[in-house]
Amino acid sequence: MAINIVMPKLGLTMSEGTIIKWHKNEGDMVKKGDSLFDVETDKITNTIEAKEEGILAKILIGNGKSALVTAPVAILSDEGEDISSFVKEEKPLEKDIKVAVHQSETNEDGKKKVVVIGGGPGGYVAAIRAAQLGAQVTLVDKGSLGGTCLNVGCIPTKVLLHTAEIYQEVLHGKDIGIQIEGNVKVDWASLQQRKENIISHLVGGVTGLLAANGVEVVIGTASFIDRHQIKVTKEDGSSITINGDDFIIASGSEPFIPPIPGVELEGVLDSTGALNLDALPEDIIIVGGGVIGTEFATLFNSLGVKVTVVEMLPYILPPIDREVAAAVEENMIGTGIDIFTSAKVTTIEKDGEKLKVSISLDREDKVVKADKVLMSVGRRGVTRGLNLEAVNIRLDRGAIYVDNGMRTNIEGIYAIGDVTGKNMLAHVASDQGIVAAENIMGIDSAMKYDAIPACVYTKPEIASVGMTEEEAKKKGINYEVGIFPLVNNGKTLIMKEVENTMIKIITDKKYDEIIGVHIYGPRATDLITEGTLALRLEATVDELITTVHAHPTVGEAMKEAALAVKNIAIHAVNK
Ligand SMILES: Cc1cc2nc3c(=O)[nH]c(=O)nc-3n(C[C@H](O)[C@H](O)[C@H](O)COP(=O)(O)OP(=O)(O)OC[C@H]3O[C@@H](n4cnc5c(N)ncnc54)[C@H](O)[C@@H]3O)c2cc1C
């Protein structure tokens, strides 16, 4: 029975391929695994092997011709089979395919009116992009521009973590040849002031950028009246109505506080409360060993606070590659942090000046006391108060449902950032904002979630992109792993952050394509950009290997980890 041999899809972004050379001629016998043809994409060249046995009855796409992926390139038949009814000669692909760009609609004054709700990294970036593309943009925020990220998230946590890191460096100055005389202590009040100064500097920057792009900013709480109007209630209780052709909802997220008895007690904090403490506590219990919980654990522990982490899962940092997370956990325990995994907080009670936290563990129950309890078990999208019912916006498990173009189910209304419940990260919100603004203004744009970097600012840092080993296994991918321990890297040694640190690269065995990069070590959060670009470009491990890396850098270890995939690392003993 005759079958079509088709142009395979060799990578996520491949849409067509050019046949460089057929290894078989018409009439040749083909066995399973025989080399059939070489195909070249804009990225890679691969030899395609036969999956079926038969006679190569007809070549439809010859040498030097291109075809779209999944288009037939040849016919395989049984000996003597008549394929005349089967043959429909495929046309080679025209090379100059044009991408359709829609023209934006405009209202009477010639400009499309775009209204953005929320001025976080999603909303303000969307507003600027829409304005760049010629829209008349109004941005509404009920709080401070910059949203969670600038005011109570990414930036303030990193300001505090930076000081905590320097403090530790100074305390251990003698390790690097610095003798310190006298007391070294953290001035929490002036650190808080520094944090506020940096926030207001950055918020001022965002305000200036919005003004420079002609975006009108309205401070107040937005709620939908109908598909084309929102009501904005200002702090003094007055309200205005704003009309728009298109809307972008970027209302972000807020901490999720689970209904544990005692969470309402004074001293039980969310991440915002933990950032704004008047003074450092003696001890703190952190409920949740995810990214935010782990960063706060590092922060408080580095500043001399006794830290206990309680995590419900059997491990901390659930989204991180297990091997890396285990190394982090070991290091955190080594710095004096108590970590209870497979553990559940059952109650929080007042006990004199302290809070008493009851923890249910696998085999026993435990009670830990501390001055403060930080709840960091997750965040959920802010949809409350937006009156989404008025426009029938579809929700999916509490988050606003969107497609990859950031469109909701209602035409002309888009949603971006944390409120969509996708990757709750500032850079994702910003990229989604650009996608939404471009689609509104007639440029076809879509989010791709395959190469999203994620960073955790522990000491050392953690950063990853792409699949973890567990995910690769679960997806049934035939994968290879290369690990380079950073103890073998000069720059890491100089920075004395060698304990358990590593770069781990995961590749798809078939094409040696890099599908995951996981870094635990100094500069991880900067280095991950190389891994992200590698995934974005569907790079193979050879492309990383043949890239010259500067010395001495932690980045050299990326190349070594790539070499380790092939068991030819130079600065490590191979398996
Ligand atoms: C402690 C902490 C640390 C973090 N660290 C990092 C990090 O290091 N890196 C990273 O990538 N991400 C980090 N994040 C996550 C990051 O802050 C969020 O992913 C990001 O801020 C989401 O952006 P957004 O624009 O969707 O929403 P948000 O930044 O939450 O902004 C939403 C805005 O909408 C406004 N708003 C809400 N409802 C209304 C309404 N009805 N009317 C008017 N305005 C409204 C709010 O006032 C707010 O300003 C951290 C988060 C926290 C809590």
Side-chain angles (χ1 to χ4, degrees), residues 382-438:
V382 175
T383 50
R384 203 172 13 89
L386 286 166
N387 195 24
L388 295 178
E389 309 76 44
V391 273
N392 284 324
I393 297 272
R394 181 172 148 202
L395 298 181
D396 183 10
R397 279 166 289 168
I400 296 182
Y401 168 83
V402 282
D403 68 8
N404 281 347
M406 310 319 297
R407 298 174 194 88
T408 66
N409 60 315
I410 303 298
E411 209 191 325
I413 303 184
Y414 295 70
I416 58 170
D418 284 7
V419 75
T420 66
K422 307 267 176 205
N423 311 37
M424 285 196 178
L425 292 166
H427 42 281
V428 175
S430 298
D431 276 22
Q432 290 175 331
I434 289 172
V435 167
E438 292 188 344

Side-chain angles (χ1 to χ4, degrees), residues 117-124 140-155 157-158 218 220-223 250-255 271-272 275 291-292 295-296 379 382 384-386 416-419 423-430 432 455 457:
I117 302 170
Y124 83 73
V140 187
D141 200 299
K142 65 179 179 184
S144 175
L145 291 177
T148 304
C149 175
L150 257 57
N151 295 285
V152 291
C154 330
I155 298 297
T157 46
K158 274 77 219 182
V218 177
T221 304
S223 64
S251 50
S253 64
E254 58 192 3
S271 58
T272 305
L275 283 170
V291 173
I292 293 177
E295 284 188 1
F296 273 107
R379 295 178 66 81
V382 175
R384 203 172 13 89
L386 286 166
I416 58 170
D418 284 7
V419 75
N423 311 37
M424 285 196 178
L425 292 166
H427 42 281
V428 175
S430 298
Q432 290 175 331
C455 301
Y457 292 76

Side-chain angles (χ1 to χ4, degrees), residues 318-513:
I320 303 291
D321 185 276
R322 289 273 61 79
E323 197 170 2
V324 174
V328 178
E329 189 170 339
E330 197 178 322
N331 278 9
M332 284 175 69
I333 292 168
T335 60
I337 298 173
D338 285 336
I339 301 180
F340 296 113
T341 49
S342 303
K344 215 173 142 184
V345 170
T346 51
T347 55
I348 306 169
E349 292 160 280
K350 196 93 187 130
D351 186 31
E353 290 298 293
K354 298 267 180 191
L355 289 163
K356 189 172 89 178
V357 174
S358 303
I359 306 166
S360 153
L361 290 154
D362 259 357
R363 296 209 183 105
E364 34 153 5
D365 288 347
K366 209 166 177 70
V367 170
V368 182
K369 291 181 193 170
D371 292 330
K372 304 283 180 196
V373 176
L374 165 58
M375 303 301 300
S376 67
V377 298
R379 295 178 66 81
R380 63 174 168 202
V382 175
T383 50
R384 203 172 13 89
L386 286 166
N387 195 24
L388 295 178
E389 309 76 44
V391 273
N392 284 324
I393 297 272
R394 181 172 148 202
L395 298 181
D396 183 10
R397 279 166 289 168
I400 296 182
Y401 168 83
V402 282
D403 68 8
N404 281 347
M406 310 319 297
R407 298 174 194 88
T408 66
N409 60 315
I410 303 298
E411 209 191 325
I413 303 184
Y414 295 70
I416 58 170
D418 284 7
V419 75
T420 66
K422 307 267 176 205
N423 311 37
M424 285 196 178
L425 292 166
H427 42 281
V428 175
S430 298
D431 276 22
Q432 290 175 331
I434 289 172
V435 167
E438 292 188 344
N439 281 324
I440 287 173
M441 298 308 289
I443 299 172
D444 271 342
S445 197
M447 272 304 287
K448 292 198 179 78
Y449 294 96
D450 314 302
I452 303 281
C455 301
V456 192
Y457 292 76
T458 44
K459 187 168 163 58
E461 296 173 343
I462 312 161
S464 68
V465 65
M467 269 183 238
T468 61
E469 190 172 348
E470 295 70 39
E471 283 164 348
K473 207 175 279 174
K474 207 165 151 195
K475 287 196 165 139
I477 294 172
N478 193 7
Y479 67 90
E480 194 83 84
V481 169
I483 293 182
F484 185 74
L486 290 175
V487 67
N488 295 359
N489 173 264
K491 192 68 188 283
T492 305
L493 208 59
I494 292 168
M495 290 187 280
K496 62 183 185 66
E497 292 190 67
V498 294
E499 199 74 28
N500 286 325
T501 54
M502 68 181 100
I503 296 185
K504 173 171 179 176
I505 292 181
I506 303 169
T507 60
D508 179 328
K509 231 175 183 171
K510 191 159 186 196
Y511 301 119
D512 275 347
E513 185 180 332

Side-chain angles (χ1 to χ4, degrees), residues 12-74:
L12 294 173
T13 57
M14 176 180 168
S15 56
E16 62 173 86
T18 304
I19 294 182
I20 300 299
K21 182 173 173 237
W22 277 96
H23 293 283
K24 298 273 178 189
N25 296 312
E26 285 182 1
D28 282 357
M29 179 69 199
V30 173
K31 292 216 173 69
K32 262 191 197 172
D34 279 357
S35 296
L36 272 179
F37 58 91
D38 293 341
V39 59
E40 186 189 70
T41 70
D42 51 353
K43 268 298 304 109
I44 45 173
T45 303
N46 271 119
T47 300
I48 306 305
E49 292 171 359
K51 292 198 184 97
E52 306 288 340
E53 212 165 272
I55 305 289
L56 186 64
K58 179 91 185 152
I59 291 177
L60 303 170
I61 305 290
N63 291 342
K65 302 273 169 40
S66 303
L68 288 171
V69 293
T70 71
V73 298

Side-chain angles (χ1 to χ4, degrees), residues 540-554:
T540 61
V541 79
D542 288 318
E543 285 167 312
L544 214 56
I545 289 171
T546 53
T547 301
V548 178
H549 286 69
H551 172 78
T553 58
V554 187

